[in-house]
């Protein structure tokens, strides 16, 4: 059984000037297509498809220093984003200034390959830190991407053998801020571990207006978060046969005073990782309705008067059910209820048999 996977490797810094030049050309093509599409909508009332845009950029790859398939990928990506955001005109890609766009060079299948121990694309060889053994894979579509620190990476989609999980556990997961994730069996991923020891250093760098140092610290925090989430999700996938997580939407909480904690928790990244890892391992993954999962007793299914209620009850971490007398950890109780909802049991109004 095969599955697709995206591999990310870093390109050595000596190739940065060439990649930056190619990225400026990509921005030029994007902006040209943006203006062309906008004029077509304004003057003729017609939305141009990627097929319609291809003739306008045909043959320009030699002057721009790009691969011909890169031009086609830019047109395809532009049309995709225009439909996604439902706009007749997208933002310009800026090659300079404070708000410049991060470098991006799309590559179609067959436009890049592994040759002589290096990555070969558009007549150029690129040295990369090959941590995956790229020579054993057939490259599909991919891209060169720049991060906030000016480092470049090569991302490529490949086919790998799927690893079917032998785990049989059924796990419910409650997402929170005190603990990023709490499983129904009591396993927790603590929040705040990514940045607490770096906060003083970040504050010093920000006061000194040392932008380079600030970017480096933020990148370190992001890498810590990603590494912790990868380890946590991988352990879950190895031992689980089904995973159910609450359908909480972090975007609705980023406009409140909890924004910093919500963004640091990385709920969206956690759910994305679980989704694609479960798909690759043949595991059931489902986002379930988390309504009343905190207030419902996971033992008897009642909504007792002693339950934590509303915003005032957020500080209550443990409570005792007045109906059956069982004492609950707030998050573990919610995770158990999500597991029950995932199995088809409603969150409220369950009779005691």
């Amino acid at each position: 059984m095969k599955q697709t996977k995206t591999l990310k490797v870093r390109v050595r810094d000596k190739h940065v000037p060439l990649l930056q030049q190619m990225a400026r050309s990509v921005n030029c093509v994007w902006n040209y297509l943006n203006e062309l599409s906008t004029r077509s909508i304004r003057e003729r009332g017609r939305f141009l498809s990627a097929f319609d845009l291809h003739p306008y950029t045909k043959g320009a790859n030699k002057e721009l220093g790009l691969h011909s398939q890169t031009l086609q990928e830019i047109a395809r990506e532009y049309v995709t984003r225009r439909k996604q955001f439902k706009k007749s005109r997208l933002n310009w890609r800026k090659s300079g200034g404070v708000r410049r766009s991060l470098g991006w060079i799309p590559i179609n299948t067959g436009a890049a390959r592994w040759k002589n121990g290096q990555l070969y694309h558009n007549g150029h060889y690129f040295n990369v830190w090959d941590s995956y053994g790229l020579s054993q894979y057939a490259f599909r579509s991919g891209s060169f991407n720049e991060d906030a620190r000016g480092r470049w990476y090569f991302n490529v989609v490949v086919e790998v053998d799927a690893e079917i999980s032998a785990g049989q556990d059924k796990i419910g997961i409650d997402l929170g801020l005190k603990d990023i994730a709490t499983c129904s069996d009591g396993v927790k991923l603590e929040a705040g571990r990514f940045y607490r020891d770096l906060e003083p250093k970040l504050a010093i760098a920000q006061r000194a207006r040392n932008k380079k140092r600030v970017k480096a610290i933020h990148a370190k925090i992001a890498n810590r978060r990603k590494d912790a989430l990868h380890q946590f999700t991988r352990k879950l996938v190895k031992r689980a046969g089904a995973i159910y997580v609450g359908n909480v939407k972090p975007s609705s909480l980023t406009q409140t005073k909890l924004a910093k904690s919500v963004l640091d928790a990385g709920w969206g990244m956690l759910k994305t990782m679980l989704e694609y890892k479960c798909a690759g391992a043949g595991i059931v993954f489902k986002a379930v309705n988390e309504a009343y999962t905190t207030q419902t007793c996971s033992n008897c299914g009642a909504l007792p008067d002693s339950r934590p209620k509303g915003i005032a009850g957020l500080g209550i971490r443990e409570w005792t059910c007045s109906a059956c007398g069982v004492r609950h950890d707030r998050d573990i109780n919610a995770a158990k209820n999500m597991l029950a909802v995932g199995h088809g049991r409603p969150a409220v109004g369950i009779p005691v048999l």
Side-chain angles (χ1 to χ4, degrees):
M1 181 179 176
K2 295 285 187 179
Q3 69 173 110
T4 58
K5 184 178 182 180
T6 302
L7 305 181
K8 179 179 180 180
V9 294
R10 185 179 168 188
V11 182
R12 295 187 182 272
D13 292 339
K14 66 179 182 179
H15 303 294
V16 168
L18 173 60
L19 291 171
Q20 288 178 339
Q21 179 183 350
M22 296 171 66
R24 287 192 291 269
S25 297
V26 169
N27 294 345
C28 180
V29 175
W30 177 279
N31 295 337
Y32 171 70
L33 296 179
N34 196 16
E35 180 64 23
L36 189 67
S37 177
T38 304
R39 287 187 56 187
S40 175
I41 296 170
R42 183 176 64 248
E43 297 174 4
R44 295 184 291 171
R46 180 187 174 192
F47 286 86
L48 298 178
S49 66
F51 182 78
D52 296 328
L53 293 172
H54 289 164
Y56 293 96
T57 59
K58 186 177 181 179
N61 57 296
K62 293 183 179 179
E63 289 76 12
L64 295 173
L66 299 173
H67 195 280
S68 59
Q69 293 186 6
T70 296
L71 300 181
Q72 298 175 11
E73 282 296 292
I74 297 172
R76 184 191 64 79
E77 184 70 14
Y78 173 79
V79 172
T80 300
R81 298 308 165 202
R82 189 187 63 194
K83 291 179 180 179
Q84 175 186 355
F85 297 110
K86 299 180 181 179
K87 291 184 177 180
S88 60
R89 180 172 186 158
L90 299 180
N91 293 333
W92 294 93
R93 289 191 61 85
K94 302 177 180 65
S95 299
V98 178
R99 297 185 178 276
R100 75 177 187 89
S101 305
L102 296 181
W104 166 66
I105 306 167
I107 298 173
N108 205 347
T109 302
R113 66 181 187 273
W114 192 256
K115 184 178 179 181
N116 300 328
Q118 296 173 300
L119 176 65
Y120 182 76
H121 168 67
N122 195 30
H124 302 284
Y125 287 92
F126 297 90
N127 295 102
V128 300
W129 275 277
D130 184 15
S131 55
Y132 295 102
L134 295 178
S135 59
Q136 60 183 316
Y137 299 106
F139 294 171
R140 299 177 67 176
S141 59
S143 64
F144 289 95
N145 296 87
E146 181 187 15
D147 68 4
R149 289 188 289 177
R151 297 179 177 182
W152 281 83
Y153 297 86
F154 176 63
N155 303 277
V156 62
V157 177
V158 298
E159 278 192 349
V160 298
D161 294 326
E163 298 180 3
I164 305 301
S165 174
Q168 298 297 322
D169 293 350
K170 307 295 187 293
I171 301 174
I173 301 177
D174 174 58
L175 302 179
L177 299 179
K178 182 176 182 295
D179 295 300
I180 296 175
T182 302
C183 299
S184 52
D185 56 3
V187 177
K188 297 185 179 184
L189 177 62
E190 181 185 356
R193 55 187 292 186
F194 314 124
Y195 65 87
R196 282 175 182 166
D197 62 324
L198 292 175
E199 278 188 325
K201 297 180 181 179
L202 181 60
I204 292 173
Q206 289 174 333
R207 286 194 295 269
R209 300 182 183 276
N210 189 341
K211 294 183 179 180
K212 186 175 181 180
R213 180 59 178 158
V214 170
K215 288 181 179 179
I217 294 175
H218 277 301
K220 188 170 185 178
I221 293 172
N223 289 336
R224 283 184 178 182
R225 180 188 299 109
K226 187 180 296 184
D227 179 65
L229 294 180
H230 269 302
Q231 292 188 38
F232 180 75
T233 54
R234 175 51 55 190
K235 290 178 181 178
L236 287 180
V237 170
K238 283 185 176 179
R239 65 186 180 88
I243 297 178
Y244 305 98
V245 63
N247 61 348
V248 59
K249 295 181 179 179
S251 58
S252 61
L253 294 175
T254 54
Q255 308 300 323
T256 66
K257 295 181 180 180
L258 301 174
K260 179 181 177 181
S261 299
V262 171
L263 293 173
D264 181 70
W267 291 341
M269 185 183 298
L270 174 63
K271 292 168 73 172
T272 300
M273 288 181 179
L274 282 174
E275 186 173 7
Y276 76 74
K277 289 180 180 180
C278 288
I283 295 174
V284 174
F285 174 80
K286 185 178 180 181
V288 300
N289 184 10
E290 63 170 13
Y292 295 100
T293 52
T294 300
Q295 302 181 35
T296 304
C297 175
S298 58
N299 182 62
C300 65
L303 282 171
D305 295 334
S306 59
R307 69 186 187 274
K309 303 175 185 178
I311 297 177
L314 290 176
I316 302 175
R317 309 314 305 175
E318 294 185 357
W319 59 281
T320 302
C321 176
S322 57
C324 64
V326 174
R327 188 164 183 81
H328 296 293
D329 177 284
R330 176 194 181 98
D331 297 332
I332 296 177
N333 176 68
K336 289 180 178 179
N337 281 323
M338 288 180 193
L339 176 60
V341 173
H343 281 188
R345 192 191 83 174
V348 185
I350 307 160
V352 180
L353 299 179

